[in-house]
């Protein structure tokens, strides 16, 4: 009697383990299908990240190649300045100090485009 009870318990546990394995297998299959659908988006995102990294590296290289200040201008300026001035204009880079300056530059640029 005890042997039969033990055998039934083992059979029940094995059946439960098989059912749980099937359940996990179905979940993994659904997850793999979702990942397969996302693969083009992930590849596109990866390419965009690579492109942005290349752009940042090119910008850094462009900044490093340009001289930040001329020696001739350095002699004309006072020794101590109350505000830090940019010595060389870098194409595509604008200094914006606050929100009002940003809004003002936006409207100036839009007026320039309309003219």
């Amino acid at each position: 009697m005890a042997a039969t009870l033990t055998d039934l318990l083992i059979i029940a546990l094995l059946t439960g383990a098989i059912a749980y394995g099937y359940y996990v297998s179905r979940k993994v299959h659904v997850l793999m299908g979702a990942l397969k659908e996302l693969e083009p988006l992930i590849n596109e995102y990866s390419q965009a990240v690579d492109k942005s990294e290349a752009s940042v590296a090119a910008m850094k290289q462009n900044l490093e190649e340009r001289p930040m200040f001329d020696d001739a201008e350095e002699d004309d300026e006072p020794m101590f300045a109350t505000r830090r001035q940019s010595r060389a204009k870098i194409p595509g880079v604008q200094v914006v100090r606050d929100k009002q300056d940003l809004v003002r530059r936006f409207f100036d640029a839009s007026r320039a485009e309309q003219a």
Side-chain angles (χ1 to χ4, degrees):
M1 172 86 172
T4 306
L5 203 57
T6 304
D7 289 342
L8 288 175
L9 181 65
I10 290 173
I11 290 172
L13 289 174
L14 283 174
T15 305
I18 291 171
Y20 183 71
Y22 180 76
Y23 172 76
V24 169
S25 173
R26 295 301 307 155
K27 289 289 186 178
V28 168
H29 185 69
V30 169
L31 178 64
M32 292 301 288
L35 290 176
K36 189 70 96 176
E37 290 176 8
L38 288 176
E39 185 177 9
L41 295 174
I42 292 170
N43 287 336
E44 186 178 328
Y45 177 74
S46 176
Q47 290 172 355
V49 168
D50 292 342
K51 185 178 177 183
S52 66
E53 286 178 349
S55 297
V56 168
M59 286 174 55
K60 284 183 180 179
Q61 183 180 7
N62 190 19
L63 288 174
E64 290 171 359
E65 289 175 357
R66 297 192 181 275
M68 292 306 287
F69 49 86
D70 290 335
D71 292 334
E73 289 182 9
E74 189 174 321
D75 296 335
D76 297 339
E77 292 184 16
M79 188 66 143
F80 297 102
T82 58
R83 181 181 250 185
R84 182 180 227 175
Q85 301 289 328
S86 67
R87 300 184 187 245
K89 295 289 184 181
I90 300 170
V93 177
Q94 293 181 350
V95 177
V96 179
R97 302 218 185 275
D98 56 4
K99 193 185 297 184
Q100 291 176 345
D101 193 23
L102 178 67
V103 172
R104 188 177 310 113
R105 285 180 188 256
F106 171 77
F107 284 112
D108 289 344
S110 64
R111 284 188 205 119
E113 287 178 8
Q114 290 176 357

PDB file of all heavy atoms in Angstrom, residues 29-44:
ATOM      1  N   HIS A  29       8.479  30.367 -26.381  1.00  0.00           N
ATOM      2  CA  HIS A  29       8.160  30.417 -27.813  1.00  0.00           C
ATOM      3  C   HIS A  29       7.483  31.750 -28.164  1.00  0.00           C
ATOM      4  O   HIS A  29       7.820  32.379 -29.177  1.00  0.00           O
ATOM      5  CB  HIS A  29       7.263  29.235 -28.184  1.00  0.00           C
ATOM      6  CG  HIS A  29       6.984  29.126 -29.641  1.00  0.00           C
ATOM      7  ND1 HIS A  29       7.947  28.776 -30.554  1.00  0.00           N
ATOM      8  CD2 HIS A  29       5.854  29.355 -30.346  1.00  0.00           C
ATOM      9  CE1 HIS A  29       7.416  28.780 -31.760  1.00  0.00           C
ATOM     10  NE2 HIS A  29       6.144  29.130 -31.664  1.00  0.00           N
ATOM     11  N   VAL A  30       6.555  32.199 -27.338  1.00  0.00           N
ATOM     12  CA  VAL A  30       5.885  33.482 -27.566  1.00  0.00           C
ATOM     13  C   VAL A  30       6.892  34.628 -27.454  1.00  0.00           C
ATOM     14  O   VAL A  30       6.887  35.572 -28.262  1.00  0.00           O
ATOM     15  CB  VAL A  30       4.714  33.668 -26.563  1.00  0.00           C
ATOM     16  CG1 VAL A  30       4.178  35.085 -26.597  1.00  0.00           C
ATOM     17  CG2 VAL A  30       3.609  32.671 -26.857  1.00  0.00           C
ATOM     18  N   LEU A  31       7.777  34.568 -26.471  1.00  0.00           N
ATOM     19  CA  LEU A  31       8.798  35.594 -26.302  1.00  0.00           C
ATOM     20  C   LEU A  31       9.734  35.645 -27.504  1.00  0.00           C
ATOM     21  O   LEU A  31      10.081  36.730 -27.992  1.00  0.00           O
ATOM     22  CB  LEU A  31       9.593  35.336 -25.017  1.00  0.00           C
ATOM     23  CG  LEU A  31      10.729  36.301 -24.722  1.00  0.00           C
ATOM     24  CD1 LEU A  31      10.200  37.707 -24.496  1.00  0.00           C
ATOM     25  CD2 LEU A  31      11.506  35.830 -23.509  1.00  0.00           C
ATOM     26  N   MET A  32      10.153  34.505 -28.011  1.00  0.00           N
ATOM     27  CA  MET A  32      11.029  34.466 -29.175  1.00  0.00           C
ATOM     28  C   MET A  32      10.322  35.045 -30.399  1.00  0.00           C
ATOM     29  O   MET A  32      10.950  35.725 -31.219  1.00  0.00           O
ATOM     30  CB  MET A  32      11.488  33.027 -29.456  1.00  0.00           C
ATOM     31  CG  MET A  32      12.411  32.466 -28.386  1.00  0.00           C
ATOM     32  SD  MET A  32      13.914  33.433 -28.162  1.00  0.00           S
ATOM     33  CE  MET A  32      14.782  33.042 -29.645  1.00  0.00           C
ATOM     34  N   GLY A  33       9.023  34.807 -30.538  1.00  0.00           N
ATOM     35  CA  GLY A  33       8.264  35.402 -31.642  1.00  0.00           C
ATOM     36  C   GLY A  33       8.227  36.918 -31.537  1.00  0.00           C
ATOM     37  O   GLY A  33       8.375  37.625 -32.542  1.00  0.00           O
ATOM     38  N   ALA A  34       8.042  37.433 -30.320  1.00  0.00           N
ATOM     39  CA  ALA A  34       8.025  38.887 -30.121  1.00  0.00           C
ATOM     40  C   ALA A  34       9.399  39.480 -30.426  1.00  0.00           C
ATOM     41  O   ALA A  34       9.503  40.551 -31.046  1.00  0.00           O
ATOM     42  CB  ALA A  34       7.606  39.219 -28.692  1.00  0.00           C
ATOM     43  N   LEU A  35      10.454  38.806 -30.009  1.00  0.00           N
ATOM     44  CA  LEU A  35      11.806  39.292 -30.297  1.00  0.00           C
ATOM     45  C   LEU A  35      12.100  39.252 -31.793  1.00  0.00           C
ATOM     46  O   LEU A  35      12.787  40.133 -32.318  1.00  0.00           O
ATOM     47  CB  LEU A  35      12.846  38.475 -29.534  1.00  0.00           C
ATOM     48  CG  LEU A  35      12.872  38.677 -28.015  1.00  0.00           C
ATOM     49  CD1 LEU A  35      13.877  37.732 -27.378  1.00  0.00           C
ATOM     50  CD2 LEU A  35      13.195  40.111 -27.671  1.00  0.00           C
ATOM     51  N   LYS A  36      11.585  38.262 -32.498  1.00  0.00           N
ATOM     52  CA  LYS A  36      11.777  38.172 -33.939  1.00  0.00           C
ATOM     53  C   LYS A  36      11.096  39.341 -34.641  1.00  0.00           C
ATOM     54  O   LYS A  36      11.618  39.885 -35.606  1.00  0.00           O
ATOM     55  CB  LYS A  36      11.209  36.842 -34.436  1.00  0.00           C
ATOM     56  CG  LYS A  36      11.522  36.513 -35.864  1.00  0.00           C
ATOM     57  CD  LYS A  36      12.974  36.196 -36.053  1.00  0.00           C
ATOM     58  CE  LYS A  36      13.173  34.710 -36.012  1.00  0.00           C
ATOM     59  NZ  LYS A  36      14.542  34.329 -36.288  1.00  0.00           N
ATOM     60  N   GLU A  37       9.917  39.768 -34.125  1.00  0.00           N
ATOM     61  CA  GLU A  37       9.219  40.918 -34.697  1.00  0.00           C
ATOM     62  C   GLU A  37       9.972  42.222 -34.424  1.00  0.00           C
ATOM     63  O   GLU A  37       9.926  43.149 -35.226  1.00  0.00           O
ATOM     64  CB  GLU A  37       7.803  41.021 -34.130  1.00  0.00           C
ATOM     65  CG  GLU A  37       6.859  39.934 -34.597  1.00  0.00           C
ATOM     66  CD  GLU A  37       5.501  40.025 -33.926  1.00  0.00           C
ATOM     67  OE1 GLU A  37       5.246  41.009 -33.215  1.00  0.00           O
ATOM     68  OE2 GLU A  37       4.703  39.096 -34.122  1.00  0.00           O
ATOM     69  N   LEU A  38      10.647  42.300 -33.286  1.00  0.00           N
ATOM     70  CA  LEU A  38      11.369  43.520 -32.915  1.00  0.00           C
ATOM     71  C   LEU A  38      12.761  43.614 -33.542  1.00  0.00           C
ATOM     72  O   LEU A  38      13.401  44.656 -33.452  1.00  0.00           O
ATOM     73  CB  LEU A  38      11.505  43.602 -31.395  1.00  0.00           C
ATOM     74  CG  LEU A  38      10.234  43.908 -30.619  1.00  0.00           C
ATOM     75  CD1 LEU A  38      10.512  43.848 -29.128  1.00  0.00           C
ATOM     76  CD2 LEU A  38       9.679  45.261 -31.003  1.00  0.00           C
ATOM     77  N   GLU A  39      13.220  42.556 -34.163  1.00  0.00           N
ATOM     78  CA  GLU A  39      14.582  42.537 -34.700  1.00  0.00           C
ATOM     79  C   GLU A  39      14.858  43.683 -35.671  1.00  0.00           C
ATOM     80  O   GLU A  39      15.901  44.351 -35.546  1.00  0.00           O
ATOM     81  CB  GLU A  39      14.859  41.196 -35.367  1.00  0.00           C
ATOM     82  CG  GLU A  39      16.283  41.047 -35.834  1.00  0.00           C
ATOM     83  CD  GLU A  39      16.546  39.675 -36.416  1.00  0.00           C
ATOM     84  OE1 GLU A  39      15.597  38.898 -36.608  1.00  0.00           O
ATOM     85  OE2 GLU A  39      17.727  39.381 -36.674  1.00  0.00           O
ATOM     86  N   PRO A  40      13.978  44.019 -36.643  1.00  0.00           N
ATOM     87  CA  PRO A  40      14.281  45.153 -37.525  1.00  0.00           C
ATOM     88  C   PRO A  40      14.378  46.481 -36.763  1.00  0.00           C
ATOM     89  O   PRO A  40      15.231  47.317 -37.075  1.00  0.00           O
ATOM     90  CB  PRO A  40      13.107  45.186 -38.512  1.00  0.00           C
ATOM     91  CG  PRO A  40      12.477  43.850 -38.434  1.00  0.00           C
ATOM     92  CD  PRO A  40      12.770  43.326 -37.077  1.00  0.00           C
ATOM     93  N   LEU A  41      13.519  46.676 -35.772  1.00  0.00           N
ATOM     94  CA  LEU A  41      13.569  47.906 -34.991  1.00  0.00           C
ATOM     95  C   LEU A  41      14.858  47.997 -34.186  1.00  0.00           C
ATOM     96  O   LEU A  41      15.463  49.068 -34.069  1.00  0.00           O
ATOM     97  CB  LEU A  41      12.362  48.000 -34.060  1.00  0.00           C
ATOM     98  CG  LEU A  41      11.004  48.134 -34.743  1.00  0.00           C
ATOM     99  CD1 LEU A  41       9.884  48.057 -33.714  1.00  0.00           C
ATOM    100  CD2 LEU A  41      10.930  49.426 -35.512  1.00  0.00           C
ATOM    101  N   ILE A  42      15.288  46.884 -33.630  1.00  0.00           N
ATOM    102  CA  ILE A  42      16.524  46.868 -32.845  1.00  0.00           C
ATOM    103  C   ILE A  42      17.727  47.151 -33.746  1.00  0.00           C
ATOM    104  O   ILE A  42      18.628  47.903 -33.375  1.00  0.00           O
ATOM    105  CB  ILE A  42      16.672  45.524 -32.095  1.00  0.00           C
ATOM    106  CG1 ILE A  42      15.600  45.417 -31.017  1.00  0.00           C
ATOM    107  CG2 ILE A  42      18.053  45.379 -31.494  1.00  0.00           C
ATOM    108  CD1 ILE A  42      15.494  44.068 -30.380  1.00  0.00           C
ATOM    109  N   ASN A  43      17.719  46.574 -34.948  1.00  0.00           N
ATOM    110  CA  ASN A  43      18.808  46.838 -35.891  1.00  0.00           C
ATOM    111  C   ASN A  43      18.831  48.311 -36.301  1.00  0.00           C
ATOM    112  O   ASN A  43      19.898  48.922 -36.388  1.00  0.00           O
ATOM    113  CB  ASN A  43      18.676  45.955 -37.126  1.00  0.00           C
ATOM    114  CG  ASN A  43      19.027  44.513 -36.833  1.00  0.00           C
ATOM    115  OD1 ASN A  43      19.760  44.215 -35.908  1.00  0.00           O
ATOM    116  ND2 ASN A  43      18.480  43.600 -37.617  1.00  0.00           N
ATOM    117  N   GLU A  44      17.654  48.892 -36.548  1.00  0.00           N
ATOM    118  CA  GLU A  44      17.574  50.306 -36.912  1.00  0.00           C
ATOM    119  C   GLU A  44      18.072  51.193 -35.772  1.00  0.00           C
ATOM    120  O   GLU A  44      18.803  52.161 -35.990  1.00  0.00           O
ATOM    121  CB  GLU A  44      16.134  50.660 -37.260  1.00  0.00           C
ATOM    122  CG  GLU A  44      15.935  52.052 -37.784  1.00  0.00           C
ATOM    123  CD  GLU A  44      14.489  52.311 -38.164  1.00  0.00           C
ATOM    124  OE1 GLU A  44      13.794  51.370 -38.590  1.00  0.00           O
ATOM    125  OE2 GLU A  44      14.065  53.463 -38.020  1.00  0.00           O
TER     126      GLU A  44
END
